[in-house]
Each structure stands twice: as C-alpha cells, then as structure tokens.
Amino acid sequence: MRRQFCAAGSALLSVHALLALTSFAIVLLNPAHAVAQDAVIPRTFEPRESYVAYRISTPLRIDGVLSEGAWAAAPWTNDFVDIEGAAKPRPPLRTRAKMLWDDEYLYIAAELVEPDVWGTITQRDSVIFFDNDFEVFIDPDGDTQEYYELEINALATVWDLRLTKAYRDGGRALDDWNITGLLHAVHVDGTINRGRDSDRGWTVELALPWSLLREYAFEQRRPRNGEQWRINFSRVEWDADATDAGYVKRRNAEGKLLPEHNWVWSPQGAINMHMPERWGTVQFSGRTAGTRTDIVRADPEEAVRDGLRALYYAQRRFNESHRRYATTLADLAPLIEAAHDEGRVPRDAALAVTTTGYRISARATNGTLHITEDGRMWRDQ
C-alpha cells in the first residue's frame, strides 16, 4: 500500500501557546540540539560535504513522489553518516538527498529507507524530532548566525523555526515563525503505523520560497549562478519495537528512552547540529539539471575561516577555565588542537579584547575577516 501526505503553505497552523513557552527548553534536552559544553566544539574535523544544485525551468509538483525528469537528472548527495563522523559505525539504513532550484523555490528531496514507518505528531510546530524525522538547516550567508531549520515526520507534520545564532552562543529558537509559502509532502512506500509488516521507506519533497529565505542571504536576494550557501541535513531515528497497536520506543533498564540516532549529510564531529561552520556547501548552478556537470569551486578563504574558528574554539576553552577571555594569542596557543586542520592559525591574526568580549581578525582574499565571542564571522572590504 502507498500513502501520501501533502500540505501547502496556505494551510499553516499557528504554534500552540504551551509549546511557545517551552520549546526552547525542550530543544536543549535533545542531544543533537543540545548546548552541553562537551558538544559546542567538534571533536573531529572531517571534510565538509559539497553539492551542486542545478536549475529547472518548469516548477515541480510537490507530492512526495520523485517521478519528474528533473529529479531523475539531479544527483544524489552522498549517503548520510553518523553525526560524529567516521569514528562511529555507518548507519544501517540509507538516507540521501537532492536539490534543485528555479526563480521561486529551493527544492529539496530526501529518500529514507525504513522498514518500519511510523509517526505520532500531527500538530504543526510541535517538537518533531520526538518522532523519526528529516531535518533541513540553512545558513544563506555563512556567518553561522541567523539561520533556518525545518523538521518533518512521516505524517508530513512540519516544525519550521529560525535562530538568531547557535544555541551555544546564546541564540534562541523563534518557533512562532513560519516559512510562508512553504510547499511540502511525504510519500510512504508501504504502510504507516502498522507494526506487523515491513515497509520500504518514505520520501520527502520540499519547496522553500526564496521570498523568505533571502532574508538572511547576501544582499537579501536569491543566489546567483556559482554562489554558495551553507546547508546540512539530518535524520533522527529512534529504536522502536513493533506492536499490534503500532510502535513503542525502546527504553533501558531504568525505564529511560534510549538515545536517538542522528545521521547527517555533512558530519558535525559532535552530537550537535547547531554548529553551522560544519555544514556542507551547496553551489547553485545556472545550468539545467542533466545537461552538463559543474564542479564545486573551492573557497580560497576557507583556511582563514577555519583558522579564525580555531581561535574561537580556543577562546571558549580558555573562558571555561579562567572565566574570562584571553588577551593575547599566545595565551590561546596551548589550546589550539594542532591535530586538526582548523588549527592552522593565520599568520597575521590579531586579537582585540572589548568590554564585552573580543574580536579576532585576519586578512583574506577579499578583505579582512573577523570573528567575535558570539561566533559571528563577517568581513570588511
């Protein structure tokens, strides 16, 4: 049996009052959304994933079924891996995604192999990761602040929110905000909430309007040919047992829920999705999907960005120990993880301490890059 769940932006439901008061606290309870001190800095640094999103000339029908020729022409991402990276076993169930774009929308599709498709949450803007879900994270201008998050379960229930900055830097979730004009749908290849059969999985199809995404983008516009955004995807998967009534999440001997699995496109290096500097790179191509292949352009400033981020990590470590920020780069040197590629500090890096924090600067290809205590990175021309 095949089932489809579709919804359009015109049918949005407002967040219920209780969730509006408690959702931020709930987010902190979930490992992948947590801000515990041992998860604010990556423990491993693996290469970020990259992808070329090609254009289409005819809008897609958003029904969860990836049958259009444009989707067939679009490449899949690499299969998702554990959020912590290669140190953890590869996920037993395949997850992968595709992207396309036109003048109106960024299109995202995902395929989730799943022998037991289930879902319980039907209220929009509930905490969707309490079910198995698929998640999207978008930082248009790559400053690691002001970014979007969208979660969807197999019932096509959506939680869309934006963040002013990462939780670790004092950001908060604005979940009373909706992606106006969002189109979304789910197609289930099998049955949903039937515990005694075997399914094949579910697919997600999204159309996110540039009219909203451009708010946090460079020059507040949709991307142009060759431009790049930071994007990542996550799949939350709970261990559950089938029953005649559906599915029940597994618990340990003390009765606590077993932790969920977090499988992602570009590994974070820690159980925390809210480290935007570890998200993948999506390059937008003006070529029509299926005509020619573009290569993702290397960012000539990536080494400088990573070097500044290494100093930001070191300042966090220093502050945890001394309850203040270091006033010289020499104070930070012992805290740089030399084994990491990000440990290569720019030769001309300069540290300036302010009354509220600090600013670290270094020359880059197109000006001077800066990073401050709240994680924001920006440039002077």
Side-chain angles (χ1 to χ4, degrees), residues 75-367:
W76 288 106
T77 63
N78 287 333
D79 291 355
F80 288 19
V81 298
D82 188 272
I83 191 170
E84 295 185 79
K88 298 293 183 178
R90 294 192 66 83
L93 300 174
R94 186 184 210 182
T95 315
R96 53 185 183 169
K98 295 185 176 193
M99 285 165 273
L100 293 166
W101 67 297
D102 61 17
D103 289 343
E104 301 297 327
Y105 295 103
L106 167 62
Y107 299 97
I108 296 172
E111 176 188 74
L112 298 86
V113 173
E114 176 60 75
D116 298 295
V117 180
W118 60 271
T120 64
I121 300 171
T122 58
Q123 173 67 50
R124 188 188 178 107
D125 285 335
S126 299
V127 183
I128 301 300
F129 60 71
F130 286 165
D131 280 354
N132 292 344
D133 77 357
F134 175 73
E135 304 179 356
V136 180
F137 299 83
I138 304 175
D139 179 9
D141 63 5
D143 68 350
T144 75
Q145 295 194 345
E146 299 174 325
Y147 57 88
Y148 307 105
E149 178 180 353
L150 181 147
E151 304 183 6
I152 186 168
N153 66 3
L155 293 170
T157 308
V158 166
W159 182 18
D160 46 2
L161 59 154
R162 62 179 179 176
L163 288 96
T164 56
K165 61 183 73 173
Y167 294 122
R168 66 181 177 192
D169 297 311
R172 63 189 185 93
L174 305 176
D175 59 9
D176 57 348
W177 166 90
N178 287 320
I179 301 177
T180 303
L182 170 71
L183 305 177
H184 63 283
V186 166
H187 171 77
V188 176
D189 190 357
T191 59
I192 191 166
N193 291 329
R194 184 175 296 177
R196 300 302 188 187
D197 66 358
S198 181
D199 309 309
R200 286 162 293 281
W202 52 296
T203 51
V204 175
E205 194 172 18
L206 305 168
L208 290 80
W210 298 123
S211 58
L212 185 138
L213 294 182
R214 69 184 186 185
E215 179 182 1
Y216 290 161
F218 177 68
E219 296 180 341
Q220 294 191 315
R221 58 169 172 76
R222 67 171 182 260
R224 294 172 180 165
N225 177 42
E227 292 184 339
Q228 298 176 343
W229 284 19
R230 291 283 198 201
I231 294 179
N232 210 354
F233 305 114
S234 173
R235 173 180 178 175
V236 169
E237 182 80 4
W238 295 89
D239 292 319
D241 292 315
T243 70
D244 290 334
Y247 295 90
V248 177
K249 293 180 185 176
R250 293 178 189 168
R251 298 178 179 269
N252 61 20
E254 289 74 39
K256 296 181 180 179
L257 287 175
L258 295 179
E260 85 280 24
H261 305 282
N262 296 280
W263 302 332
V264 304
W265 173 44
S266 193
Q268 296 288 103
I271 305 176
N272 182 357
M273 280 305 299
H274 292 272
M275 295 188 291
E277 70 272 16
R278 301 308 311 162
W279 296 352
T281 297
V282 175
Q283 180 171 304
F284 296 91
S285 172
R287 300 185 193 279
T288 301
T291 56
R292 292 180 60 184
T293 300
D294 282 358
I295 303 298
V296 175
R297 184 186 71 258
D299 181 355
E301 298 183 341
E302 195 75 10
V304 178
R305 292 177 182 276
D306 287 343
L308 289 176
R309 187 64 58 178
L311 291 168
Y312 160 86
Y313 296 148
Q315 277 284 32
R316 292 197 70 103
R317 296 186 182 101
F318 188 94
N319 186 265
E320 289 166 14
S321 300
H322 299 84
R323 302 303 175 191
R324 64 178 178 85
Y325 291 115
T327 57
T328 70
L329 293 177
D331 293 333
L332 298 178
L335 301 175
I336 298 292
E337 296 287 343
H340 299 155
D341 290 340
E342 277 79 348
R344 298 171 184 166
V345 175
R347 292 178 180 273
D348 64 343
L351 168 63
V353 178
T354 69
T355 56
T356 57
Y358 65 86
R359 183 181 68 217
I360 305 175
S361 308
R363 288 289 300 172
T365 303
N366 298 310

